[in-house]
Amino acid sequence: MVGLTTYLQQAQTGVWDVRASFLPAIYFEGVGLAGGISVLLPPQPADEAIADRVLDRLDGLIITGGRDVDPAAYRSRRHPATDEPSADTRTRDAFEFMLLRGALRRGIPVLGICRGAQVLNVALGGTLHQHLPDVVGHTRHQQGNAVFSTSSISTVSGTKVAGLIGPTTDAQCYHHQAIDRLGDGLIVSASDADGVIEAVEIDPAKYPHSWAIAVQWHPEERLDDLRLFAGLVGAATAYATERVSL
């Protein structure tokens, strides 16, 4: 049973234009194709006790893509290119931070996707580059108009990400932000030709019983390659089996 966080923002469907919690279907299709069952987790006010009750029913967690994290969460001023924070985005940030910290504490397997990688890093005290063109001098990581670019990713030998996808892969990218200073207990597991961090994971020396990786790209855009989803579902299955045996 894999929980996936969702968007919370204005959305149109048919004649309706309303605040809504939603998630593109390709996310939970990836989980299903890998053998998991998806549960959608709408952002909502929560405390540690509420997050724990949600996590009681999950074997794995995916922090999905979406709008920029509020820079106040990592003690920075907002860049003009950063999404303007709203009450809904702050609710989502807080909810995902709570779920992540609880999952890491329990050893529930975690996969972060795009924004999810940034949320994981910020939750553990890291910071973000708020606008990559200022850092790398081009806009190829996010070309705009919902057009994904293909980046060549190199993994770090010996990491979980490398074990899942091998030494290199071509990834579908759509992000104008990226990890700057690493959060406590994270290690870099992949980067691109510009030196942009494209994947991180929990340091096994600090979290020996945790399985948590996060990629800056969008594996759900390539459902002919389920290796990351399969890695999460496999880890979630092991967690569920161990929990039942206890």
Side-chain angles (χ1 to χ4, degrees):
M1 192 79 71
V2 178
L4 295 90
T5 60
T6 71
Y7 295 62
L8 178 59
Q9 60 195 66
Q10 203 73 12
Q12 293 182 332
T13 175
V15 298
W16 309 107
D17 185 357
V18 297
R19 287 176 64 243
S21 169
F22 63 94
L23 187 70
I26 48 178
Y27 282 99
F28 50 83
E29 287 171 353
V31 172
L33 288 169
I37 299 171
S38 294
V39 177
L40 300 189
L41 305 174
Q44 53 199 293
D47 56 22
E48 188 172 297
I50 291 172
D52 278 340
R53 290 189 65 187
V54 173
L55 293 167
D56 281 343
R57 291 153 177 82
L58 299 180
D59 307 309
L61 176 67
I62 296 179
I63 307 296
T64 61
R67 294 173 62 84
D68 298 334
V69 177
D70 182 358
Y74 48 98
R75 297 180 176 84
S76 295
R77 292 185 177 182
R78 187 178 73 88
H79 187 286
T82 297
D83 293 332
E84 180 76 46
S86 67
D88 284 343
T89 57
R90 290 188 179 103
T91 295
R92 181 179 180 184
D93 290 349
F95 187 56
E96 291 182 346
F97 291 149
M98 200 77 66
L99 290 173
L100 259 177
R101 290 168 182 145
L104 293 176
R105 188 172 61 249
R106 291 163 170 251
I108 294 175
V110 174
L111 172 62
I113 295 177
C114 197
R115 167 190 157 91
Q118 298 164 10
V119 171
L120 175 60
N121 191 58
V122 172
L124 295 178
T127 62
L128 304 178
H129 292 300
Q130 289 193 49
H131 194 51
L132 269 181
D134 294 347
V135 179
V136 298
H138 60 75
T139 60
R140 286 194 295 273
H141 293 89
Q142 188 183 79
Q143 297 182 30
N145 297 318
V147 176
F148 285 82
S149 59
T150 302
S151 294
S152 180
I153 307 299
S154 298
T155 61
V156 176
S157 177
T159 61
K160 285 185 173 62
V161 171
L164 288 171
I165 65 175
T168 63
T169 191
D170 288 334
Q172 298 298 104
C173 289
Y174 198 85
H175 61 95
H176 81 109
Q177 298 192 340
I179 290 169
D180 181 10
R181 189 184 73 245
L182 269 183
D184 183 43
L186 289 178
I187 58 174
V188 175
S189 44
S191 58
D192 68 8
D194 291 311
V196 174
I197 295 172
E198 287 287 346
V200 293
E201 60 190 63
I202 285 295
D203 184 349
K206 188 173 181 65
Y207 294 93
H209 304 297
S210 291
W211 191 103
I213 67 175
V215 298
Q216 188 61 75
W217 67 88
H218 285 269
E220 79 281 4
E221 291 293 323
R222 288 283 309 275
L223 292 184
D224 58 332
D225 181 355
L226 293 171
R227 289 176 293 180
L228 289 171
F229 285 107
L232 174 73
V233 171
T237 300
Y239 174 83
T241 301
E242 181 180 359
R243 183 165 59 175
V244 169
S245 68
L246 295 176

